[in-house]
Amino acid sequence: MVYRGRLSGKRRSGNGVAAAGIRSQTMLQGIRNASQHWLGKIVLTIIFTLLIAGVGIFGVEEFFRGGTSNNVATVGSTPITTEQVRQAYQNQIQRYQAQLKRALTPDQARMLGLDRQVMAQLITEAALDQKTHDLGLAVPDSAVIRAIHDEKSFQNAQGQFEPQLFYQTLQRAGLNEGMFVREQRAVIARLQLAEAVSSDLHVPVALREAVHRYTTERRGAAYLMLTPSTAGQIPDPTEDELKTWYEANKSGFRAPEFRSASLLVVDPVAMAKPDAISDADARAAYALNKERFGTPEKRTIQQIVFPDHAAAEAARKAIEDGSKTFEAIATERGTDDKDLTLGTLSKPELFDTTVADAAFALPEGGVSQPVQGRFGTVLLRVTKIEPGTVKPFEQVEGEIRNGLALARARDAMETTRDAIEDQRAGAKPLADIATERGLKLITVKAVDPNGKDPEGKKVTDIPDPDTTLPALFRAEIGGDNEPLRTKAGGYVWYDVTNIDPAHDKPLEQVKDGVQAGWTATEIAKRLQAKGRELVEKVNKGESMEDVAKEVGVNLQEVQDLSRNQAKDMLTTDDVNLIFATPVGKAGTAAAKDSRAVFKVTSATMPAFMADSPSDRTISQNFQAALADDVLSEYITEVQKNAGVKVDATALRRAIGGEY
């Protein structure tokens, strides 16, 4: 048995745990296979969450004994502990921060609903565990051990289970074997339950045929377009009409909140002083990094692979005494021109370091001794040498000085931050700090949450707006704000100096826009009325040609229309309405600022063939969807029958703060 004793070690957090979690997330092969359906994805999420969380609970000797903990929720008799919630919540935040490439505040996390996502996931898992317990589903130790032994992440190069590798992987993730075994046992039991509920589902023929009809039907139509000019002259609105329309559409003329602010930016690029770099330091950096300031030596290398050292040595001697050429031996070995030449490569570009050392020790045209490479014994020949080049110091001096200055500025960032924070603690204004330190103070006169000024133009001088703007709109006038870290490694201090709340713009200020909106609405009403009139005439027997002549527009014909696909002058909505109209009937639909009047002229579709390739594709696609639905309904019913209780106070304590 592998599972003896305990794994020790401190819990880990941050990038170290994330990396360990990623290395450890490839668990059991059966779970991988099961991840193609909905529950399997839940299972993988469980494992990933627990591995990154990196908590050790018990060793294997204590595995069959329960522990006690504070519970946030229970599903039946299955508890969800405070620690489970806290770990899952923090892990979810870390994943979102990695995706967004910025930190999330607790308020932002709750606005995204991460707390609800985590609780829904944990309740689902607990419901499945409760049901497996109720049904008496059990996974024996032998099955768990066999599954772990079969996991490739814990196997050596010979495909054998390696206990040391197993322990090292768990230790890097901060886990012990008891915790790991417990989770695998639960996961396997859940999969057994999921397979019993959702396996061998068949998609009904009626559903497959309906999908076939929906996706393969094609339609033809005749149509005309009523343009705004068709509506005729629209008289100017009265004041009462403008006021009525404005009141009904006031939200479209609402001014967003604007804020004014002062920003003090400490940026390493701006603080870098290349002129302060001494000549000695610049030349020392050049000497240490010469290879960066030129091109490396490259060689065109040929290679012949042999089954063993003796065969390679015999070939080398034949080349040396002139009885055979390098090319002739390559032909004998079945190596064609394409495979003979490795390419023109620098030394680091060669994957096999032994081959690289041998090749770069040869003169041009020279043939190597037999070389034992990673993929066999080889003979090498260098057919061309392109010498490396190095730019002189004077040519790259500016680049070196800039690089050193930037590195020093970044190293000084924390010292500068602490000094400015001390000044801020002494209530010194940002403007005074900027003047004293020779830093630029950015004054933002007015900006909305989208980064635009009152004229709708982008405010361009706000650093890292994705981070800075949300912070500005969370802050208060006179508030004590923490500095923001920039992507370049600097800091931004900010003070909100004025807040202009969002408000409705008065009618007099937006009168031109209101009149334009009212006019567009009147045109749309007239076109809609005209469209209905023409549809009624067509449905009573008049031809599309006659109604087109009546309004003085050209009649269009279109064929091979597909659902949800715009074509010619018809929008997607127009096309979908054509599919909702019986053949031989007319209809009308808005088409941007115009209006379409159409008559459906044809509807065709290929015959449904059961078990055809397309029918099998439909079955495969909908089988997964049916499994999702069945599992979802089953889990909902399990939760309902078992009973779910959530302690709101414990939940707030687990995730921190109110929500």
Side-chain angles (χ1 to χ4, degrees):
M1 288 284 289
V2 172
Y3 312 110
R4 292 181 181 172
R6 295 190 183 188
L7 293 179
S8 62
K10 296 180 180 180
R11 298 180 184 178
R12 304 186 180 193
S13 61
N15 295 336
V17 169
I22 292 171
R23 287 191 295 270
S24 304
Q25 69 175 323
T26 51
M27 291 300 171
L28 308 178
Q29 187 63 39
I31 297 172
R32 285 199 200 96
N33 296 336
S35 68
Q36 299 306 310
H37 59 61
W38 180 75
L39 186 67
K41 293 176 183 176
I42 291 177
V43 169
L44 288 180
T45 302
I46 298 166
I47 297 171
F48 188 72
T49 300
L50 288 168
L51 281 175
I52 291 184
V55 292
I57 299 180
F58 302 106
V60 73
E61 296 94 338
E62 298 168 306
F63 179 68
F64 294 102
R65 297 199 295 271
T68 59
S69 61
N70 296 326
N71 296 337
V72 170
T74 56
V75 181
S77 60
T78 301
I80 299 173
T81 67
T82 300
E83 190 69 10
Q84 283 178 283
V85 175
R86 183 180 297 116
Q87 292 158 5
Y89 184 64
Q90 291 302 319
N91 185 60
Q92 188 81 323
I93 288 177
Q94 289 173 11
R95 285 205 292 269
Y96 267 77
Q97 289 178 157
Q99 293 172 3
L100 298 173
K101 295 182 175 58
R102 62 182 176 86
L104 284 178
T105 66
D107 286 343
Q108 290 172 328
R110 283 190 287 272
M111 287 176 63
L112 288 170
L114 301 193
D115 50 349
R116 294 186 294 275
Q117 293 177 25
V118 166
M119 282 306 299
Q121 175 183 313
L122 293 176
I123 288 171
T124 295
E125 295 162 8
L128 292 170
D129 290 343
Q130 179 66 43
K131 193 62 178 178
T132 58
H133 177 269
D134 292 345
L135 294 174
L137 293 178
V139 180
D141 292 350
S142 59
V144 179
I145 294 171
R146 183 172 61 253
I148 294 177
H149 279 214
D150 291 341
E151 169 55 38
K152 295 188 181 299
S153 299
F154 305 139
Q155 293 177 354
N156 58 25
Q158 290 73 42
Q160 299 171 331
F161 177 75
E162 182 62 58
Q164 188 64 25
L165 181 59
F166 170 77
Y167 283 122
Q168 288 173 351
T169 302
L170 265 61
Q171 283 178 323
R172 285 195 297 268
L175 293 168
N176 64 34
E177 73 252 45
M179 177 65 178
F180 186 79
V181 172
R182 184 173 14 258
E183 276 309 306
Q184 303 326 303
R185 195 186 306 276
V187 163
I188 294 171
R190 292 172 195 149
L191 287 174
Q192 288 177 341
L193 179 59
E195 292 298 330
V197 171
S198 63
S199 63
D200 200 28
L201 292 175
H202 298 284
V203 182
V205 174
L207 175 57
R208 286 151 40 203
E209 186 170 2
V211 173
H212 167 80
R213 290 175 59 86
Y214 184 87
T215 56
T216 62
E217 182 182 359
R218 299 293 179 265
R219 290 203 169 194
Y223 70 94
L224 55 89
M225 282 293 176
L226 301 177
T227 62
S229 61
T230 311
Q233 184 65 36
I234 305 296
D236 291 336
T238 65
E239 286 298 318
D240 287 342
E241 287 174 328
L242 278 182
K243 288 179 181 178
T244 301
W245 193 91
Y246 168 74
E247 290 297 330
N249 298 275
K250 188 181 290 186
S251 61
F253 300 94
R254 186 171 176 79
E257 178 180 330
F258 282 94
R259 294 196 170 202
S260 303
S262 296
L263 307 175
L264 177 63
V265 183
V266 177
D267 183 73
V269 176
M271 292 186 65
K273 301 185 184 305
D275 293 341
I277 303 299
S278 69
D279 186 70
D281 287 346
R283 289 185 180 275
Y286 173 77
L288 288 172
N289 299 278
K290 270 190 175 182
E291 68 279 358
R292 289 179 46 207
F293 305 111
T295 57
E297 176 185 327
K298 290 192 173 186
R299 297 188 169 206
T300 303
I301 304 166
Q302 295 180 326
Q303 172 182 282
I304 305 173
V305 182
F306 295 87
D308 51 45
H309 186 279
E313 178 62 23
R316 188 195 66 79
K317 289 181 178 179
I319 295 170
E320 190 176 67
D321 63 27
S323 59
K324 291 184 181 179
T325 65
F326 195 84
E327 289 80 5
I329 291 176
T331 302
E332 290 178 3
R333 294 291 308 151
T335 304
D336 57 25
D337 292 341
K338 180 180 66 176
D339 297 328
L340 180 62
T341 302
L342 295 177
T344 301
L345 308 167
S346 64
K347 193 171 183 180
E349 289 177 317
L350 283 164
F351 176 73
D352 194 323
T353 56
T354 304
V355 170
D357 291 340
F360 276 77
L362 291 172
E364 187 169 321
V367 177
S368 71
Q369 297 290 328
V371 178
Q372 183 58 51
R374 293 189 179 188
F375 305 109
T377 304
V378 300
L379 287 183
L380 305 170
R381 181 170 71 168
V382 174
T383 59
K384 183 181 179 182
I385 297 177
E386 298 178 5
T389 62
V390 178
K391 295 178 182 178
F393 171 76
E394 292 72 19
Q395 192 173 341
V396 296
E397 181 179 0
E399 179 184 345
I400 293 172
R401 288 182 181 276
N402 288 334
L404 287 175
L406 182 59
R408 291 181 182 180
R410 284 175 174 156
D411 290 342
M413 275 297 102
E414 296 309 311
T415 301
T416 302
R417 176 193 182 280
D418 292 343
I420 293 177
E421 281 292 277
D422 288 342
Q423 291 179 295
R424 293 275 286 171
K428 182 169 282 191
L430 286 180
D432 293 349
I433 296 173
T435 301
E436 180 180 314
R437 295 182 171 273
L439 299 172
K440 181 181 178 182
L441 185 73
I442 298 174
T443 301
V444 180
K445 293 182 179 179
V447 65
D448 70 9
N450 295 317
K452 295 182 179 180
D453 64 17
E455 296 181 0
K457 297 179 181 178
K458 198 75 174 177
V459 179
T460 58
D461 54 354
I462 297 178
D464 286 358
D466 290 344
T467 300
T468 305
L469 279 174
L472 287 181
F473 280 83
R474 288 195 303 268
E476 299 294 337
I477 295 176
D480 184 15
N481 306 313
E482 288 291 322
L484 305 172
R485 192 70 187 258
T486 68
K487 295 175 183 176
Y491 289 94
V492 177
W493 283 264
Y494 58 98
D495 283 334
V496 176
T497 56
N498 184 60
I499 299 176
D500 182 13
H503 60 276
D504 295 326
K505 296 179 182 179
L507 175 58
E508 290 304 317
Q509 186 178 339
V510 294
K511 196 167 186 178
D512 290 344
V514 172
Q515 183 165 343
W518 179 89
T519 302
T521 301
E522 288 301 306
I523 290 173
K525 287 180 180 178
R526 291 193 180 192
L527 293 183
Q528 184 179 40
K530 189 63 176 178
R532 288 175 177 171
E533 176 188 331
L534 298 181
V535 166
E536 187 176 351
K537 289 181 178 181
V538 173
N539 285 336
K540 286 182 177 180
E542 289 193 35
S543 67
M544 288 291 292
E545 291 82 358
D546 289 342
V547 297
K549 289 178 182 178
E550 177 185 330
V551 292
V553 298
N554 294 325
L555 185 66
Q556 309 288 331
E557 295 279 348
V558 64
Q559 299 295 330
D560 201 33
L561 291 172
S562 301
R563 280 186 171 88
N564 303 312
Q565 293 185 19
K567 190 168 185 179
D568 297 342
M569 299 175 68
L570 299 172
T571 67
T572 300
D573 289 340
D574 296 338
V575 171
N576 288 340
L577 190 54
I578 288 173
F579 273 87
T581 303
V583 176
K585 294 296 183 179
T588 180
K592 298 181 181 177
D593 59 347
S594 300
R595 191 164 194 89
V597 176
F598 60 84
K599 180 179 180 180
V600 182
T601 57
S602 64
T604 60
M605 73 185 72
F608 172 71
M609 300 290 292
D611 204 35
S612 63
S614 61
D615 181 45
R616 288 195 292 272
T617 300
I618 292 172
S619 294
Q620 291 171 359
N621 293 340
F622 277 83
Q623 194 166 29
L626 285 175
D628 289 351
D629 290 344
V630 169
L631 283 170
S632 179
E633 291 296 325
Y634 181 76
I635 292 170
T636 299
E637 190 65 21
V638 169
Q639 292 178 4
K640 179 181 176 182
N641 292 336
V644 178
K645 296 179 181 178
V646 178
D647 185 334
T649 302
L651 176 58
R652 285 193 296 271
R653 186 168 56 247
I655 66 174
E658 300 293 329
Y659 68 97

